[in-house]
């Protein structure tokens, strides 16, 4: 079995750090046809033996694009990018220390109807600032699984 999973989220949320952690830096850089925006892709095998192509998409603030980066991300997520299959699932990476601003991206991404996991990255920074989040409550409100993580520390 083979799946394609897209890493999506605002710039500086830690998508690429998580990507590198998951793929062990086994990545390749490629350009989408006709544009100069780069993405990274890598392959990993899940604990259940599923081969996963992981795509680290450019950061977005919205699916209503205001930049070439946001156009590429939107098109890949909708399956409108020639030569790139529509992802089977999404990992939405949000900065746990900046959640009020980053949650704006959640609704349009969840609205795509793809299976989604929300990763609240930088949980170590949040804890260091004395903050905490109720992931179970947020998961219930969003209707998708939510986890805390620290991609830089591998937690």
């Amino acid at each position: 079995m083979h799946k394609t999973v897209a890493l999506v989220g605002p710039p500086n949320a830690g998508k690429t750090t998580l990507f590198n952690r998951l793929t062990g830096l086994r990545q390749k850089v490629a350009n989408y046809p006709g544009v100069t925006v780069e993405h990274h892709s890598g392959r990993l095998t899940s604990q259940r033996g599923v081969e996963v192509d992981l795509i680290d998409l450019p950061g977005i603030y919205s699916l209503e694009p205001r930049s070439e980066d946001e156009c590429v991300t939107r098109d890949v997520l909708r399956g409108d990018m020639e030569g790139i299959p529509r992802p089977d699932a999404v990992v939405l990476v949000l900065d746990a220390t900046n959640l009020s601003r980053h949650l704006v991206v959640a609704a349009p991404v969840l609205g795509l109807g793809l299976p989604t996991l929300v990763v609240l990255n930088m949980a170590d920074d949040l804890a260091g600032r004395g903050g905490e989040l109720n992931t179970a409550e947020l998961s219930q409100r969003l209707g998708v699984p939510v986890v805390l993580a620290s991609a830089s520390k591998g937690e």
Side-chain angles (χ1 to χ4, degrees), residues 9-89:
N12 303 313
K15 293 180 311 302
T16 300
T17 302
L18 180 60
F19 171 85
N20 288 337
R21 179 69 67 175
L22 292 172
T23 62
L25 300 175
R26 291 184 308 269
Q27 65 195 18
K28 62 181 179 179
V29 176
N31 288 324
Y32 288 96
V35 298
T36 59
V37 178
E38 292 183 335
H39 78 287
H40 298 265
S41 63
R43 183 166 284 177
L44 60 100
T45 303
S46 76
Q47 291 177 341
R48 295 183 181 166
V50 176
E51 281 194 10
V52 176
D53 282 332
L54 195 61
I55 303 171
D56 182 13
L57 292 171
I60 58 168
Y61 293 108
S62 148
L63 287 181
E64 296 299 321
R66 290 171 275 160
S67 70
E68 192 175 16
D69 288 0
E70 289 178 336
C71 284
V72 167
T73 297
R74 181 207 55 204
D75 290 350
V76 170
L77 291 175
R78 290 184 177 170
D80 294 337
M81 180 63 69
E82 188 177 331
I84 306 292
R86 184 171 194 227
D88 299 297

Side-chain angles (χ1 to χ4, degrees), residues 13-14 17-18 21 94 96 119-126 147-155:
T17 302
L18 180 60
R21 179 69 67 175
L94 305 174
V119 174
L120 303 178
N121 193 28
M122 302 183 211
D124 55 328
D125 290 347
L126 179 67
V147 297
L148 285 168
S150 172
S152 64
K153 293 186 176 181
E155 299 172 350

Side-chain angles (χ1 to χ4, degrees), residues 129-153:
R129 297 175 186 187
E132 57 184 49
L133 290 167
N134 184 334
T135 56
E137 182 179 337
L138 185 57
S139 175
Q140 183 179 22
R141 288 181 181 215
L142 295 176
V144 296
V146 176
V147 297
L148 285 168
S150 172
S152 64
K153 293 186 176 181

Side-chain angles (χ1 to χ4, degrees), residues 98-121:
N98 204 0
L99 199 52
S100 60
R101 276 191 24 205
H102 283 195
L103 268 176
V104 191
V105 175
V109 170
L110 295 175
L112 294 168
L114 294 168
T116 302
L117 169 67
V118 174
V119 174
L120 303 178
N121 193 28

